[in-house]
Structures are given as structure tokens and as C-alpha cells.
Amino acid sequence: TLTGHTDNVVTCAFSPDGSVLVSGSVDNTLKVWDTQNWGIVLATLTGHTDNVLTSAFSPDGAVLVSGSFDNTLKVWDATNWGTVLAELTGHTATVYTSAFSPDGAVLVSGSFDNTLKVW
């Protein structure tokens, strides 16, 4: 059992190589877990101002994207945890889902604003 979030956990994603698991929570954070030493939190990612609802790794594992009730996506550097490479704005409501294309060239996000954004 992994503990550390202070509210409901609503998303999780393994890195493509399986070395880390990222979890996102209603506590507005993501946690990066070491899968070789379960229970060890490598980083706590802060920056969203509301619930984190979605997380996805790029196919090469270089970046993680997270989406939130704050209507934004954050693109995190998965080689330097805590570094935000970009904040994607444009949705007018909660970002509920996100996915990368198989080649990693395209990111798509879905929102309660009834749209999909292609980034």
C-alpha cells in the first residue's frame, strides 16, 4: 500500500520503462514513486491549483502531462522532476483526460468544456 497523498487518488500512470509510477490526487499534487523500492516518493509535483485528474507519459518517457480541475495541463520534465516545461491553456473547464499519440508527436486532452484539444 502506497501512502502519502492527503486526499483521493484519481489517476496513475507507469513510465514506459516501468521505473516510476506517478499518481495524481484531489490534493492538487502528483507523486512520483520508485517502483524498485515501493513506498519511496522520488518527488512531489506541485503547481496545479486544483484537483489533478489525469496523467500520461510520452511514449519515450521524457515527459509527463497532467491535467486538472484548474482547466490546464502541465508538461513535466520526467528527467528532472519538478521542472514544468510548459503549461497548456485553452480549455474553459476541467481537463479530464489526456493521451499521447504512439509516436509522441501529438498530445490530446479532453475537457468538461465538451472539446478535445490537439496540442
Side-chain angles (χ1 to χ4, degrees), residues 56-76:
F57 278 94
S58 60
D60 65 3
V63 300
L64 170 81
V65 66
S66 59
S68 171
F69 218 88
D70 65 12
N71 305 352
T72 71
L73 294 111
K74 294 203 183 297
V75 181
W76 304 90

Side-chain angles (χ1 to χ4, degrees), residues 89-102:
T89 60
H91 282 295
T92 59
T94 300
V95 178
Y96 197 71
T97 190
S98 58
F100 281 94
S101 62

Side-chain angles (χ1 to χ4, degrees), residues 28-73:
N28 306 351
T29 71
L30 297 112
K31 293 204 179 284
V32 182
W33 304 90
D34 182 348
T35 61
Q36 302 304 307
N37 298 292
W38 288 109
I40 302 296
V41 176
L42 300 173
T44 299
L45 308 181
T46 60
H48 283 293
T49 59
D50 212 330
N51 305 346
V52 177
L53 300 177
T54 183
S55 56
F57 278 94
S58 60
D60 65 3
V63 300
L64 170 81
V65 66
S66 59
S68 171
F69 218 88
D70 65 12
N71 305 352
T72 71
L73 294 111

Side-chain angles (χ1 to χ4, degrees), residues 21 48 54 59-60 83 87 95 104 115-116:
L21 172 74
H48 283 293
T54 183
D60 65 3
T83 300
E87 180 177 88
V95 178
T115 68
L116 292 163

